[in-house]
Amino acid sequence: MSTKKLNKFVDLSKKLVDFKHYQTEEQEEFVSNAIAIYRNNNLGGGVINLQVAKFFLFLVDPRKEVRG
């Protein structure tokens, strides 16, 4: 697993969210979720860009609701 690509995915995901109103626990959960999504979806084998981060954002962000 590429640490560089993982860090890029986490950083791109963070840029999509304004953390001003997030509590520390929510920020930690966000990063933890991003790492899990990266690993569980084998994202290290592909290109990591803003479009990929946007696609997975609803899973990464603890404030996003999954409606179904």
Side-chain angles (χ1 to χ4, degrees):
M1 174 175 37
S2 169
T3 303
K4 186 176 180 180
K5 282 189 173 186
L6 171 60
N7 290 338
K8 183 175 181 179
F9 179 70
V10 172
D11 290 342
L12 287 171
S13 297
K14 283 179 162 180
K15 288 180 182 177
L16 295 171
V17 175
D18 181 9
F19 279 118
K20 288 181 208 173
H21 304 291
Y22 279 58
Q23 296 176 0
T24 303
E25 295 83 20
E26 289 176 307
Q27 292 179 28
E28 291 170 355
E29 183 179 355
F30 184 98
V31 171
S32 179
N33 289 347
I35 292 169
I37 294 301
Y38 179 89
R39 289 180 176 159
N40 291 338
N41 290 282
N42 299 316
L43 298 181
V47 175
I48 300 298
N49 57 30
L50 194 57
Q51 186 175 2
V52 172
K54 282 182 183 179
F55 180 79
F56 286 102
L57 184 63
F58 78 97
L59 295 171
V60 172
D61 191 350
R63 289 192 172 187
K64 299 286 184 190
E65 286 186 30
V66 178
R67 297 183 181 122

